Amino acid sequence: MDPLSTTVTRESIAIDIHLPPGGPLSGMAADVRAGLTKPFKELSPRYFYDERGSELFEAITALPEYYPTRAERAILEDHAAGICARAENPTTLIELGSGSASKTRVLLDAMHDAGCLQAYAPVDISEQITRATAGAVAGEYGITVHGLVCDYERDLERIPLAGPRVIAFLGGTIGNFEPAQRASFLARVANLLGPEDHFLLGTDLVKDRQTLEAAYNDSSGVTAAFNKNVLTVLNRELGADFDLGAFEHVAFWDHENLWVDIRLRSLARQVVDISGLGMTVAFDRGEEMRTEISTKFAREGLGGIYAEAGLEMVEWWTDPDELFALSLARPTS
């Protein structure tokens, strides 16, 4: 165990903490400097999720225009037993980006009903949420819970517990990865899986432009507030002086890349001071910087992505409207 790691154990609950000395935001300065000095500016979406950002995202998931959360939950409710059976009744569920595990309880219920559930591992960057989730799940199901507080992309190889396992990555978060980043991540997942293990992935699907763009441009402006909140985080953490009113939210479907492109557009020619980095950043009127992408998938395309990573798809489930999909994969034999 490295010197920055700690393990806290209580009865059937263990929490491993693998955070750098500066905490979850320790890499922000380098990320922001790199992103804002590119010819086309960009910010990492990982900095959306301070307390306010998390609250705004929860509000987004309840919006009428934002279908992914409802569609994924519907798939889990309709097919949890089938997922459990197709994964050959795994004893352990590991969830990347677990949060409160609200949707995952449907899968835990199915594993419990099948008599195979023995352990759960929530993996999240928030120590508070991970502790709360671990305590709740251990109490509800009477199982071993081994939480991991970390950046799950950086610390993927630290995931705990023996199998047979299902590693679940839900919510369509894989769509926020750049293609090369996604390929590397999935290859690392494949290397972690034993012959009895499976990978359960949530993916948003390619569909008409109107539905896609509405999901990221809601009429009540919650998504715009969520997008601009990253500037609030930079102001607070790096001593920046971004004027949120001087930027507008932009989100559009890029058919060539098969992703929704989310940006902030400068409404005026302006110079932003970031005192914590000792730098200033100039924006032209109308200049845009990317804050996130959300890639959409089709079954055939995802099968090819899996194959390149050393995985093979063994099952595919969608909601009745075919808006979203869960797919189950295993390592290529």
Side-chain angles (χ1 to χ4, degrees):
M1 184 175 294
D2 64 65
L4 301 179
S5 303
T6 61
T7 300
V8 180
T9 305
R10 179 176 64 82
E11 300 172 354
S12 62
I13 303 172
I15 306 292
D16 288 353
I17 302 171
H18 299 285
L19 293 177
L25 299 179
S26 62
M28 174 183 281
D31 285 350
V32 171
R33 183 184 296 278
L36 293 183
T37 53
K38 290 182 177 180
F40 177 64
K41 300 178 179 69
E42 61 183 17
L43 294 172
S44 170
R46 73 176 59 203
Y47 303 119
F48 280 134
Y49 296 97
D50 64 347
E51 183 177 354
R52 176 59 175 158
S54 296
E55 291 173 354
L56 287 167
F57 184 73
E58 286 299 312
I60 288 171
T61 64
L63 293 169
E65 299 97 331
Y66 192 80
Y67 59 84
T69 303
R70 291 189 299 276
E72 186 175 46
R73 183 181 294 275
I75 299 168
L76 286 168
E77 290 174 347
D78 289 345
H79 299 289
I83 293 170
C84 181
R86 197 69 176 89
E88 301 173 10
N89 293 326
T91 61
T92 298
L93 177 63
I94 298 170
E95 184 177 12
L96 307 180
S98 52
S100 63
S102 57
K103 287 181 295 187
T104 316
R105 280 171 169 77
V106 180
L107 198 52
L108 289 169
D109 287 344
M111 293 172 66
H112 180 268
D113 292 346
C116 61
L117 179 63
Q118 296 179 13
Y120 172 64
V123 182
D124 200 276
I125 196 69
S126 168
E127 181 177 352
Q128 180 180 358
I129 290 174
T130 303
R131 289 185 182 279
T133 300
V137 171
E140 290 170 29
Y141 295 93
I143 59 173
T144 297
V145 178
H146 193 153
L148 182 58
V149 179
C150 68
D151 178 334
Y152 59 74
E153 186 182 358
R154 186 188 66 189
D155 295 308
L156 184 64
E157 284 71 20
R158 295 183 185 271
I159 61 173
L161 300 176
R165 307 174 295 178
V166 166
I167 300 176
F169 192 31
L170 305 178
T173 306
I174 191 70
N176 300 141
F177 288 16
E178 297 281 351
Q181 178 190 17
R182 179 184 66 217
S184 173
F185 179 80
L186 292 176
R188 289 166 64 200
V189 168
N191 286 335
L192 286 174
L193 298 177
E196 296 182 314
D197 296 338
H198 290 80
F199 179 54
L200 182 66
L201 180 65
T203 49
D204 198 2
L205 300 180
V206 174
K207 56 187 68 67
D208 65 279
R209 175 186 293 270
Q210 182 178 356
T211 300
L212 287 166
E213 293 189 347
Y216 296 87
N217 292 285
D218 64 279
S219 57
S220 54
V222 181
T223 309
F226 174 71
N227 195 9
K228 288 186 179 185
N229 186 66
V230 72
L231 303 182
T232 301
V233 173
L234 267 58
N235 287 349
R236 182 181 65 246
E237 301 295 332
L238 297 178
D241 63 354
F242 282 98
D243 175 4
L244 273 64
F247 290 86
E248 65 178 351
H249 166 73
V250 177
F252 62 92
W253 171 238
D254 180 340
H255 178 73
E256 181 177 348
N257 288 304
L258 297 181
W259 66 45
V260 175
D261 203 323
I262 298 114
R263 304 180 179 186
L264 287 170
R265 178 186 294 145
S266 177
L267 296 175
R269 186 175 178 83
Q270 56 182 306
V271 176
V272 175
D273 179 61
I274 308 178
S275 61
L277 298 181
M279 64 183 290
T280 58
V281 182
F283 290 87
D284 289 331
R285 180 184 179 88
E287 183 179 353
E288 296 175 353
M289 65 177 168
R290 177 176 292 135
T291 53
E292 188 176 39
I293 60 169
S294 185
T295 302
K296 311 306 174 185
F297 299 87
R299 181 172 184 170
E300 182 177 355
L302 184 59
I305 290 169
Y306 274 149
E308 290 178 1
L311 295 164
E312 60 177 341
M313 187 186 300
V314 297
E315 194 57 86
W316 170 272
W317 300 271
T318 68
D319 60 286
D321 296 320
E322 298 188 342
L323 299 172
F324 199 92
L326 289 178
S327 56
L328 191 71
R330 64 188 174 198
T332 304
S333 54

